[in-house]
Amino acid sequence: MAGGNAIRGSRVGAGPMGEAERGESAPRLRVSFWCANGHETQPSFASDAQIPETWDCPRCGFPAGTERDAPPDPPRTEPYKTHLAYVRERRSDADGEAILAEALAKLRGEI
């Protein structure tokens, strides 16, 4: 015989919750936002809330705006730079040659 618990899977206070128990919901306003990839998102806001200028697209993560023909530009991502790339930004080739010559001279015992 299966367990004799007749109220299995329910809890105290469980039951359908209607507007009588929760109160009336605030009036809503759905606003369309479009990203640079053409995805449309329609979040809902309370009718008296301030609508943001941009909204993150849930499909691609790009920022989305309310104008379909002029969506915000996607964020520009910089490629990963190596240590050598940062050194080349700070020093010229002539500086590098001078530092290398000094280091080689120290290794050879000339300095």
Side-chain angles (χ1 to χ4, degrees), residues 10-111:
S10 58
R11 59 180 169 67
V12 175
M17 291 186 61
E19 285 194 10
E21 294 179 18
R22 288 186 298 200
E24 293 186 26
S25 60
R28 297 283 175 190
L29 174 67
R30 292 186 74 79
V31 179
S32 293
F33 289 89
W34 288 274
C35 70
N37 289 332
H39 302 139
E40 181 183 10
T41 304
Q42 289 186 330
S44 62
F45 298 96
S47 62
D48 59 345
Q50 182 179 1
I51 308 300
E53 292 181 16
T54 61
W55 191 263
D56 290 338
C57 177
R59 290 178 64 184
C60 64
F62 286 173
T66 55
E67 294 183 29
R68 183 180 203 155
D69 298 330
D73 294 329
R76 187 168 177 247
T77 56
E78 294 288 327
Y80 174 76
K81 288 186 183 179
T82 63
H83 177 68
L84 183 59
Y86 284 111
V87 170
R88 287 185 174 161
E89 284 181 359
R90 293 191 313 264
R91 305 206 187 274
S92 67
D93 288 340
D95 291 341
E97 292 290 332
I99 292 170
L100 179 62
E102 181 180 338
L104 288 174
K106 279 185 183 178
L107 285 175
R108 293 180 186 139
E110 298 172 4
I111 296 181

